[in-house]
Amino acid sequence: MYGLATDLELAGFVGNDSIGVFVEVEGATTAVEAFARRLVAEAPPASLIDEVASTVLEPIGSYDFVILTSQPGSSTTLVSPDLDICDDCLAEMNDPQNRRHRYPFINCTNCGPRFSIIAETPYDRSSTTMAEFAMCTMCEAEYSDPFDRRFHAQPNACPTCGPEVWLVRDGAVVEGDSIAATRSIIASGGTVAIKGLGGFHLACDARSPAAVRQLRDRKGRAAKPFAVMAADLATAREIATVDETSADVLTSQAHPIVVMSARPASPLADAVAPGNKTIGVMLPYTPLHHLLMESGDVWVMTSGNRSSEPIVIENDSAADRLGELSDAQLLHNRSIQRPVDDSVVRSYGGGVSPIRRSRGFAPYPMRLGFESRPALAVGGELKATLAIAARSQAFMSQHIGDMENVETLDTFATTANDLSRLFRIDPEVLVCDRHPRYLSREWAYANADGRTVIEVQHHHAHIASLLAEHRRNEPVIGFAFDGTGYGLDGTIWGGEVLVGRLNGFERAGHLAAFELPGGDAAVARPYRTALSLLRRFGVPWDIGLPAVAAAGTTERGVLAHQIESGLNTVLTSSVGRLFDGVSSLAGVCQTVSYEGQAAIELEAIADFSMPGAPYEFAVVDVDGTLVVDPTPVVTAVARETLAGAAPGAISASFHRGLANAVRDVAVAVRDSTGISVAGLSGGVFQNAVLVELTVDALTAAGFDVLTHRYVPANDGGLALGQIALAAHIA
Ligand code: ZN
Ligand code: ZN
Ligand code: FE
């Protein structure tokens, strides 16, 4: 603004307030008009223009243009997410004549760390982890020059005055070129813990089966896919099918991990993403990454933590917690204020949808279509995120992790306070899930301190998150399909058809409930769910079925007893569990080592080139509720498996059948209610095959279909829905 106003010889001032940026300019009419036009046309790449409003004022005789100092106060100041290195900085870093040649912390106002280094707002250097580095005279000159690319670039630094990197091996600093040493450890099959923007990564050569296998062993991560970093777009194209949309997202300012179809002849080790036909790829986003990687390199870049613990951000804990997971640690002395994991989006059908919204996205504000009291939503249990809201804005936290250990709970509590402090919002209400055993709910009550705690139903929150991100509040036919959510009747829901809006809902339909023998044991061993489905829907346990064989005689006896007596079983209408069961029945996956594995592998093998009609679910009206009965589907899967049908064909018929069932239920609900908007939410709808088929079926039947574009369909999006519900439920 300063540069533009000065260029046009305009007087006035610019500043920040709770709404955003305000500017007053005074001068020749043509110059003022040019200012308004160029403000938008020449906006810096890192700016987010939501709206421009202007009014004509009487001239007051200003003679210069000034930048007003931001006042710390009660207003909400926006905080920028971390940004990938810009082309200008990259060019300078690669220029031997430049004073920042090969400097790993080069940045400018268009790029670099933000959210991961801010301790307090307003965003000034003294409120960041860069405060301890005093700028040298050259950096200071850039920082103070309104016409410099580094004017007010808070993390501005250079080799003379800024942070530095070093490599530690066996507890000792390695002398010499730490970048070259890191490369050589990775090239020889080792793993290096690399301190990045929002935390540590564990990096190894993704082409080396031995290296990847060793990393899995050390991390205690059996099969969950690893994401990789490819040195550049050309390298990414060797391992994945990168369409135009994916390429745009890969190179966007957020630089997320993009999950794409893996190339059949990919040179990557099988252990990178076993059982998957997709691969999560990201491109280098920090100067350090660019220094480390050379064209053709593909490295596993997984969060630096032991499985299920939060990502490590401190040098000290890197030695403790990552020492035995890595052969060396590449450290630096720019502190990370808070963990910010890599974001993940999935690419399909020419579009993308978020799976994990974190680095590069958090904490952008979400403009709400309603007014919210100051509120804090604590989300669910897995893939936890928080949201804080006031007035017409909500801020979603970065990804926190699965709430299953003390470390994650600590991060969760810190994040709640962090959001409140950064955005100066003092929550008057807390919103949580109804599930009596969620740690997030427990935390909400323990920290309520006299404030109201509002409990909302899990699947209602999923549908509400969809409505909130589309800024709609009208009745929808919401399909909330996921693994687990606490139902109003105390059973586990997860195949729900909820008709309603933000102030309430009616359970218009659901998948027919079945027993989950042993609860969590069934989740870990999908064949248990398969046997339960067979028993419940009247199909004999034929020993020729892979699911039956997987159980073994003794376990089958126990299972039969459990299912018949209801002992240690829970009832569920979960579509996620139905996927598990079908995956097991078709012989695809009998035991899992990460959430959703059986469903992911079933999706991966779906082969639509094979003959096979869609399976037909029976939709029955039971006292006004539409019950989706999978009996014919379970029967068909068992029959075809016994007849030796290809699992890929079974998977395709199952996916198509489920999409048709959604359409049929939607049509029936539309007939009785007149509602023609359908929404898809819940973790099951991360399944791109299912989403495409379902959207096609619904669209062909004349529905306006809402899917997630902003927050994840999985429980990572719940907190936004909770905020929306709390604002509408008295
Ligand atoms: Zn830059
Ligand atoms: Zn300097
Ligand atoms: Fe859920």
mmCIF file of all heavy atoms in Angstrom, residues 438 458-459 462 481-485 682-683 713-715 718, ligand 3:
data_model
loop_
_atom_site.group_PDB
_atom_site.id
_atom_site.type_symbol
_atom_site.label_atom_id
_atom_site.label_comp_id
_atom_site.label_asym_id
_atom_site.label_seq_id
_atom_site.Cartn_x
_atom_site.Cartn_y
_atom_site.Cartn_z
ATOM 1 N N TYR A 438 -14.747 -39.513 24.779
ATOM 2 C CA TYR A 438 -13.776 -38.698 24.049
ATOM 3 C C TYR A 438 -12.965 -37.845 25.032
ATOM 4 O O TYR A 438 -13.522 -37.156 25.883
ATOM 5 C CB TYR A 438 -14.479 -37.769 23.055
ATOM 6 C CG TYR A 438 -14.787 -38.377 21.717
ATOM 7 C CD1 TYR A 438 -14.565 -39.733 21.467
ATOM 8 C CD2 TYR A 438 -15.289 -37.584 20.681
ATOM 9 C CE1 TYR A 438 -14.856 -40.280 20.228
ATOM 10 C CE2 TYR A 438 -15.586 -38.128 19.442
ATOM 11 C CZ TYR A 438 -15.367 -39.473 19.215
ATOM 12 O OH TYR A 438 -15.657 -40.003 17.991
ATOM 13 N N HIS A 458 -22.209 -36.152 16.753
ATOM 14 C CA HIS A 458 -21.067 -36.293 15.849
ATOM 15 C C HIS A 458 -21.431 -36.098 14.362
ATOM 16 O O HIS A 458 -20.812 -35.290 13.661
ATOM 17 C CB HIS A 458 -20.484 -37.695 16.063
ATOM 18 C CG HIS A 458 -19.209 -37.961 15.360
ATOM 19 N ND1 HIS A 458 -17.979 -37.786 15.954
ATOM 20 C CD2 HIS A 458 -18.947 -38.396 14.103
ATOM 21 C CE1 HIS A 458 -17.025 -38.106 15.093
ATOM 22 N NE2 HIS A 458 -17.589 -38.484 13.963
ATOM 23 N N HIS A 459 -22.432 -36.815 13.907
ATOM 24 C CA HIS A 459 -22.743 -36.762 12.469
ATOM 25 C C HIS A 459 -23.461 -35.483 12.084
ATOM 26 O O HIS A 459 -23.339 -34.999 10.961
ATOM 27 C CB HIS A 459 -23.507 -38.026 12.066
ATOM 28 C CG HIS A 459 -22.725 -39.261 12.384
ATOM 29 N ND1 HIS A 459 -22.910 -39.961 13.565
ATOM 30 C CD2 HIS A 459 -21.688 -39.854 11.746
ATOM 31 C CE1 HIS A 459 -22.040 -40.956 13.609
ATOM 32 N NE2 HIS A 459 -21.279 -40.915 12.527
ATOM 33 N N HIS A 462 -20.693 -33.238 11.435
ATOM 34 C CA HIS A 462 -20.123 -33.447 10.097
ATOM 35 C C HIS A 462 -20.927 -32.671 9.039
ATOM 36 O O HIS A 462 -20.357 -31.943 8.218
ATOM 37 C CB HIS A 462 -20.149 -34.937 9.729
ATOM 38 C CG HIS A 462 -18.940 -35.707 10.177
ATOM 39 N ND1 HIS A 462 -17.651 -35.310 9.874
ATOM 40 C CD2 HIS A 462 -18.810 -36.864 10.878
ATOM 41 C CE1 HIS A 462 -16.788 -36.200 10.391
ATOM 42 N NE2 HIS A 462 -17.462 -37.145 11.005
ATOM 43 N N PHE A 481 -21.219 -40.510 6.544
ATOM 44 C CA PHE A 481 -20.693 -41.881 6.584
ATOM 45 C C PHE A 481 -19.281 -41.853 7.168
ATOM 46 O O PHE A 481 -18.385 -41.192 6.619
ATOM 47 C CB PHE A 481 -20.613 -42.471 5.164
ATOM 48 C CG PHE A 481 -21.950 -42.760 4.518
ATOM 49 C CD1 PHE A 481 -21.991 -43.255 3.199
ATOM 50 C CD2 PHE A 481 -23.159 -42.568 5.182
ATOM 51 C CE1 PHE A 481 -23.203 -43.533 2.584
ATOM 52 C CE2 PHE A 481 -24.378 -42.840 4.567
ATOM 53 C CZ PHE A 481 -24.399 -43.324 3.262
ATOM 54 N N ASP A 482 -19.077 -42.569 8.245
ATOM 55 C CA ASP A 482 -17.730 -42.633 8.803
ATOM 56 C C ASP A 482 -17.545 -43.922 9.579
ATOM 57 O O ASP A 482 -18.369 -44.846 9.468
ATOM 58 C CB ASP A 482 -17.432 -41.389 9.662
ATOM 59 C CG ASP A 482 -18.336 -41.269 10.882
ATOM 60 O OD1 ASP A 482 -19.165 -42.171 11.109
ATOM 61 O OD2 ASP A 482 -18.203 -40.270 11.614
ATOM 62 N N GLY A 483 -16.479 -44.000 10.351
ATOM 63 C CA GLY A 483 -16.180 -45.214 11.093
ATOM 64 C C GLY A 483 -16.959 -45.302 12.391
ATOM 65 O O GLY A 483 -17.592 -46.308 12.679
ATOM 66 N N THR A 484 -16.920 -44.220 13.142
ATOM 67 C CA THR A 484 -17.470 -44.237 14.491
ATOM 68 C C THR A 484 -17.971 -42.872 14.902
ATOM 69 O O THR A 484 -17.279 -41.874 14.713
ATOM 70 C CB THR A 484 -16.361 -44.601 15.509
ATOM 71 O OG1 THR A 484 -15.801 -45.849 15.130
ATOM 72 C CG2 THR A 484 -16.913 -44.715 16.901
ATOM 73 N N GLY A 485 -19.154 -42.842 15.481
ATOM 74 C CA GLY A 485 -19.640 -41.614 16.093
ATOM 75 C C GLY A 485 -20.735 -41.988 17.065
ATOM 76 O O GLY A 485 -21.496 -42.923 16.823
ATOM 77 N N GLY A 682 -18.153 -36.953 6.374
ATOM 78 C CA GLY A 682 -17.689 -38.122 7.127
ATOM 79 C C GLY A 682 -16.505 -38.762 6.421
ATOM 80 O O GLY A 682 -16.359 -38.662 5.193
ATOM 81 N N GLY A 683 -15.659 -39.400 7.204
ATOM 82 C CA GLY A 683 -14.408 -39.957 6.702
ATOM 83 C C GLY A 683 -14.543 -40.904 5.527
ATOM 84 O O GLY A 683 -13.634 -40.993 4.693
ATOM 85 N N ALA A 713 -13.473 -33.974 5.145
ATOM 86 C CA ALA A 713 -14.703 -34.731 5.399
ATOM 87 C C ALA A 713 -14.550 -35.559 6.673
ATOM 88 O O ALA A 713 -15.524 -35.913 7.319
ATOM 89 C CB ALA A 713 -14.999 -35.647 4.212
ATOM 90 N N ASN A 714 -13.306 -35.866 7.034
ATOM 91 C CA ASN A 714 -13.070 -36.701 8.216
ATOM 92 C C ASN A 714 -13.217 -35.868 9.501
ATOM 93 O O ASN A 714 -13.598 -34.701 9.451
ATOM 94 C CB ASN A 714 -11.687 -37.362 8.118
ATOM 95 C CG ASN A 714 -10.572 -36.334 8.083
ATOM 96 O OD1 ASN A 714 -10.547 -35.391 8.875
ATOM 97 N ND2 ASN A 714 -9.643 -36.488 7.152
ATOM 98 N N ASP A 715 -12.879 -36.469 10.630
ATOM 99 C CA ASP A 715 -13.109 -35.791 11.906
ATOM 100 C C ASP A 715 -12.273 -34.525 12.077
ATOM 101 O O ASP A 715 -12.526 -33.732 12.986
ATOM 102 C CB ASP A 715 -12.871 -36.759 13.079
ATOM 103 C CG ASP A 715 -14.005 -37.786 13.182
ATOM 104 O OD1 ASP A 715 -14.902 -37.769 12.314
ATOM 105 O OD2 ASP A 715 -13.982 -38.601 14.122
ATOM 106 N N LEU A 718 -14.643 -31.628 12.014
ATOM 107 C CA LEU A 718 -15.753 -31.577 12.983
ATOM 108 C C LEU A 718 -15.868 -30.254 13.728
ATOM 109 O O LEU A 718 -16.969 -29.753 13.948
ATOM 110 C CB LEU A 718 -15.579 -32.671 14.052
ATOM 111 C CG LEU A 718 -16.063 -34.076 13.753
ATOM 112 C CD1 LEU A 718 -15.824 -34.939 14.990
ATOM 113 C CD2 LEU A 718 -17.545 -34.078 13.387
HETATM 114 FE FE FE B 3 -16.648 -38.915 12.101
#
